[in-house]
């Protein structure tokens, strides 16, 4: 059996006092050292998740309680991606696993604070970085609490966003004023709507409201691919044709795969995935950051094999007769296994996010090897999180910090029900 080769850590990674121990662990992992214990118990994961969640709450919520309660919260980042809403989501995930109503109440308090802060800014409408995430999570949490008046309050705010004129406007009508990506654009709004429908019922936000936006996303992709006949859909974000989950093809396709598609639309989605699969880096099997980019370095959710592996898992579920998607998902998972153990902890570009690829593959295949690989990454995270967060930008956030690792550990307690926060449903 050949040894598993893990990627060398990026120079851009935050360095801390744990580096010598981390380097030793990486060395052992590269050699598959038998003294490296990569198996932790379920009880250990639960304790680690609860401890990490408490750290996140203490730093992001309780220590700033005076400022928050006094209303002087204008400097607060209310987003789920790097801000306070990520704490609310982590508490909600904890409630889903443990049933602790204190977590649910805390999540509601965080959402209310974020909702009051976001009124000063109406720029983005997405789940990860905009009002859509606040109102969607607010409606779901209120429903769990049995507060139907509060639930309907947030639903009405979300419906106000849905009236944004740019959302359903296609390129033939000049609809380039709003991007299409998951983080900041129309796909991100649609994901928030899907989140609501998952928890509150499939017709809470009807297809008559959402499908015109889906059609606009498809039309925008066709217009963006008009000069590349080999790829049916293509999008630009700030002028670059990204492939990844955050701002590119993988994230947009992930969302489209949740909607009823016509034969033509499904053909374009499948054709785009096939184009991406056929243009992988031949030696590593990894995926480019953007169209024509020769740099084969990043293996993470935001860029590279991790986000695309998860999207391919979804494609395999939607198109089960197309075995190429299942095979490509498995191959992308191998890339993550060989290159995805990095020193960052978060979901966007860290080990926690990379580990979700294995949980997706476990749900797709039912094969225990992927659960074991997720646990191996969890063991690494246990050491990695020991000193993380001190002085790091967004060190306790969901996508770039410890909150993401906490959600991953919660999901390890029920891998069959695991979902990448803000990406899988």
């Amino acid at each position: 059996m050949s040894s598993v080769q893990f990627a060398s850590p990026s120079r851009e990674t935050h360095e801390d006092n744990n580096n010598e121990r981390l380097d030793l662990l990486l060395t052992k992992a590269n050699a598959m050292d038998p003294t490296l214990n990569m198996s932790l118990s379920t009880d250990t994961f639960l304790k680690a998740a609860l401890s990490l969640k408490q750290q996140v709450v203490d730093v992001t919520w309780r220590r700033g309680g005076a400022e928050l309660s006094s209303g002087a919260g204008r400097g607060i980042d209310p987003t789920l991606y790097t801000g306070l809403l990520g704490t609310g989501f982590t508490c909600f995930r904890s409630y889903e696993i443990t049933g602790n109503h204190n977590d649910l109440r805390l999540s509601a308090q965080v959402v209310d604070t974020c909702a009051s802060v976001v009124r000063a800014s109406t720029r983005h409408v997405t789940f990860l970085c905009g009002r859509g995430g606040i109102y969607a999570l607010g409606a779901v949490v209120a429903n769990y609490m049995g507060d139907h008046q509060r639930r309907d309050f947030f639903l009405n705010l979300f419906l106000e966003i849905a009236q944004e004129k740019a959302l359903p406007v296609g390129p033939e009508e000049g609809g380039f004023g709003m991007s299409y990506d998951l983080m900041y654009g129309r796909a991100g709004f649609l994901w928030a709507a899907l989140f609501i429908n998952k928890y509150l019922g499939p017709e809470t936000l009807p297809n008559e409201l959402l499908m015109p936006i889906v059609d606009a996303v498809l039309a925008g992709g066709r217009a963006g691919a008009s000069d590349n006949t080999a790829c049916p859909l293509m999008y630009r974000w700030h002028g670059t044709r990204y492939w990844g989950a955050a701002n590119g093809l993988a994230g947009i396709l992930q969302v489209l795969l949740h909607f009823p598609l016509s034969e033509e639309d499904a053909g374009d989605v499948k054709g785009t995935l096939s184009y991406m699969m056929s243009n992988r880096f031949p030696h590593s099997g990894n995926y480019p950051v953007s169209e024509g980019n020769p740099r084969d370095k990043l293996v993470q959710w935001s860029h590279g094999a991790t986000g695309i592996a998860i999207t391919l898992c979804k494609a395999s579920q939607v198109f089960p007769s197309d075995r190429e998607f299942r095979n490509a998902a498995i191959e992308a998972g191998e890339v993550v296994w060989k290159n995805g153990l990095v020193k960052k902890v978060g979901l966007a570009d860290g080990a926690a996010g990379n580990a979700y690829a294995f949980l997706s593959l476990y749900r797709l295949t039912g094969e225990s090897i992927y659960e074991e690989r997720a646990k191996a990454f969890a063991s690494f995270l246990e050491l990695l999180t020991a000193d993380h967060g001190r002085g790091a930008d967004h060190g306790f956030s969901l996508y770039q910090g410890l909150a993401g690792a906490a959600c991953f550990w919660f999901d390890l307690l029920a891998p069959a029900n695991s979902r990448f926060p803000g990406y899988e449903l």
Side-chain angles (χ1 to χ4, degrees), residues 363-393:
R363 297 197 316 271
L364 176 67
T365 67
E367 295 180 9
S368 60
I369 184 175
Y370 297 114
E371 183 181 5
E372 293 305 314
R373 287 181 172 184
K375 289 179 178 179
F377 271 48
S379 298
F380 179 72
L381 273 168
E382 184 188 33
L383 179 59
L384 190 63
T385 58
D387 295 319
H388 181 83
R390 299 172 186 172
D393 291 340

Side-chain angles (χ1 to χ4, degrees), residues 20-252:
E20 289 186 7
R21 287 182 290 162
L22 292 174
D23 288 338
L24 176 61
L25 184 54
L26 282 166
T27 300
K28 287 187 174 184
N30 280 335
M32 293 302 287
D33 190 312
T35 66
L36 180 62
N37 179 13
M38 299 291 266
S39 178
L40 297 178
S41 68
T42 299
D43 184 59
T44 301
F45 291 139
L46 177 59
K47 289 179 179 178
L50 290 173
S51 174
L52 212 53
K53 180 212 69 176
Q54 194 58 48
Q55 289 183 51
V56 170
V57 169
D58 287 343
V59 171
T60 64
W61 176 253
R62 300 202 190 285
R63 293 182 190 175
E67 179 184 5
L68 296 171
S69 61
S70 68
R74 292 185 178 180
I76 295 169
D77 176 357
T79 70
L80 184 126
Y81 191 81
T82 55
L84 185 59
L85 192 66
T87 300
F89 186 95
T90 304
C91 291
F92 175 65
R93 179 56 57 86
S94 178
Y95 165 75
E96 288 187 291
I97 295 295
T98 67
N100 187 335
H101 281 266
N102 289 330
D103 285 326
L104 194 63
R105 285 189 287 271
L106 183 54
S107 181
Q109 293 172 21
V110 171
V111 168
D112 286 347
T113 297
C114 292
S116 66
V117 171
V118 83
R119 289 173 189 161
S121 172
T122 59
R123 183 179 179 189
H124 298 306
V125 300
T126 64
F127 191 81
L128 296 182
C129 293
R131 292 170 288 149
I134 297 170
Y135 302 152
L137 183 59
V140 170
V141 169
N143 192 62
Y144 269 102
M145 297 181 72
D147 189 344
H148 295 169
Q149 182 178 359
R150 196 68 176 161
R151 175 200 65 192
D152 293 343
F153 169 76
F154 282 117
L155 279 177
N156 287 331
L157 288 174
F158 191 87
L159 287 169
E160 287 181 13
I161 298 177
Q163 304 308 313
E164 178 79 40
K165 292 181 179 179
L167 281 168
V169 176
E172 67 280 359
E173 302 165 286
F176 292 104
M178 181 181 289
S179 66
Y180 296 93
D181 63 307
L182 185 73
M183 278 189 67
Y184 302 115
R186 302 178 214 210
F189 170 81
L190 288 171
W191 200 96
L194 289 167
F195 181 82
I196 289 174
N197 281 353
K198 173 186 175 178
Y199 285 98
L200 302 185
E203 288 300 313
T204 303
L205 299 170
N207 277 341
E208 298 84 66
L209 175 68
L210 302 179
M211 288 308 294
I213 306 172
V214 172
D215 291 339
V217 173
L218 287 162
R222 290 176 181 128
S226 59
D227 59 347
N228 184 352
T229 56
C231 185
L233 303 173
M234 188 64 71
Y235 303 86
R236 286 183 176 87
W237 188 74
H238 287 266
T240 300
R241 296 178 173 186
Y242 287 105
W243 280 31
N247 302 114
L249 282 170
I252 296 169

